[in-house]
Amino acid sequence: MSFPIVRHRRLRQSANIRSLVRETVLTVDDFIQPIFVAYGTGVKKEIPSMPGVYHFSLDTLEQEVKEIVELGIKAVLLFGIPETKDAIGSSGFAEDGIVQEATRVIKKLYPDLLVVADTCLCEFTDHGHCGMVHTYERDGHVCGDVMNDESLELLARTAVSQARAGADIIAPSNMMDGFVQAIRAALDENGFSHIPIMSYSVKYASAFYGPFRDAADSAPQFGDRKTYQMDPANVREALREAESDVLEGADMLMVKPALAFMDVIRLVRDQFDLPLVAYNVSGEYSMVKAAAQQGWINEQAIVTEMLLGMKRAGADMIITYFSKDMARWLREA
């Protein structure tokens, strides 16, 4: 009787055997939970395009953070929605800015919870771009050029103010050339040489950001971000971007988005030995939530497989709006 020489199914025949030989495992330590913080009192407002994700005011933030800590999640990523906006995003680097105030609240309540501060200007500028803009009219339309070097000083001020407020990690997401070097120098000069930089090194100009721009009220008022965020068609460029950040002093690298860029995660992982972050972004989250609400998919199974894929591709940690859900599912497993 003939039979296969190799029987791969021997190692799949029971749940315990599959668990014993499993190569990639998700744990609660892998996840960073994003939080959107806004001014006001008593605010817990669900974001329509992101079911289960909310805007919190400083007084309602405590309950959210308490839940995150009790689930065993070790880090949060803060985004702020300011009361006022201007051309340079000054509320982003104000000492009493919303991200700075939220950081103080969290660190007072839970000193060991890691606060990662998103360092960008798009939420704080009245034009919605990630840096200073030179505006002009063309054929009756407002146009603008995002000024790279002039923006670096403002981003550095933002990072320093966030570190001064107690942020444990600075996460610059602006994609200006030279932003890591500018922020590293400013942090060091102001006594924050111990604060690591989690750089949004490889950030694509992606359609997957749509729900986030609703959540953060950060859609550009003219043009788009394709002159500074990467073309989704490019992969070799990702290595150039990551290498620049490594040379400038980044402590962690990031690929954003994650789901459509698994190949990029693997490529960056293979080329660099710094810790690597995958950002499971808003559009990826909202698609799954919408399909689950229709009963078309098994949400837990889909999310678990999706996040396993990101980790298998090489991510050491994952920023995801599913962090709390995954923490609960892992406890129940």
Side-chain angles (χ1 to χ4, degrees), residues 289-303:
K289 282 291 185 182
Q293 288 178 349
Q294 293 294 322
W296 295 337
I297 61 171
N298 179 322
E299 181 179 349
Q300 180 176 342
I302 289 287
V303 172

Side-chain angles (χ1 to χ4, degrees), residues 2 14 36 45 103-104 106-107 119 126 129 149 151 153 173 181 198 201 216-217 234 323:
S2 64
S14 72
F36 295 94
K45 182 181 178 183
T103 299
R104 294 185 184 99
I106 292 171
K107 297 305 290 186
T119 306
D126 53 15
H129 281 283
D149 296 0
S151 301
E153 180 183 353
S173 60
Q181 182 177 20
M198 176 191 289
S201 302
D217 189 25
N234 293 354
S323 292

Side-chain angles (χ1 to χ4, degrees), residues 2 7 37 91 97 113 151 180 184 190 206 208 228 299 332:
S2 64
R7 291 192 177 272
V37 188
S91 56
L113 181 65
S151 301
V180 172
R184 182 74 273 162
N190 285 274
S206 172
F208 283 99
Y228 46 102
E299 181 179 349
E332 295 165 1

Side-chain angles (χ1 to χ4, degrees), residues 146-211:
V146 178
M147 299 183 290
N148 192 94
D149 296 0
E150 293 85 347
S151 301
L152 295 179
E153 180 183 353
L154 301 181
L155 293 164
R157 289 178 63 183
T158 302
V160 170
S161 72
Q162 292 169 337
R164 191 174 289 125
D168 299 286
I169 298 171
I170 297 300
S173 60
N174 54 87
M175 288 296 285
M176 297 295 110
D177 291 335
F179 69 94
V180 172
Q181 182 177 20
I183 289 172
R184 182 74 273 162
L187 290 172
D188 292 354
E189 290 168 5
N190 285 274
F192 298 110
S193 60
H194 61 289
I195 299 293
I197 295 175
M198 176 191 289
S199 174
Y200 287 64
S201 302
V202 182
K203 182 178 180 181
Y204 286 91
S206 172
F208 283 99
Y209 302 149

Side-chain angles (χ1 to χ4, degrees), residues 175-177 179 200-203 228 230 236-246 253:
M175 288 296 285
M176 297 295 110
D177 291 335
F179 69 94
Y200 287 64
S201 302
V202 182
K203 182 178 180 181
Y228 46 102
M230 282 181 53
R236 295 191 302 273
E237 184 182 6
L239 294 180
R240 300 197 296 272
E241 285 281 1
E243 183 180 28
S244 293
D245 290 358
V246 171
L253 305 177

Side-chain angles (χ1 to χ4, degrees), residues 46 99 170 242 272 292:
E46 189 172 35
V99 170
I170 297 300
F272 303 100

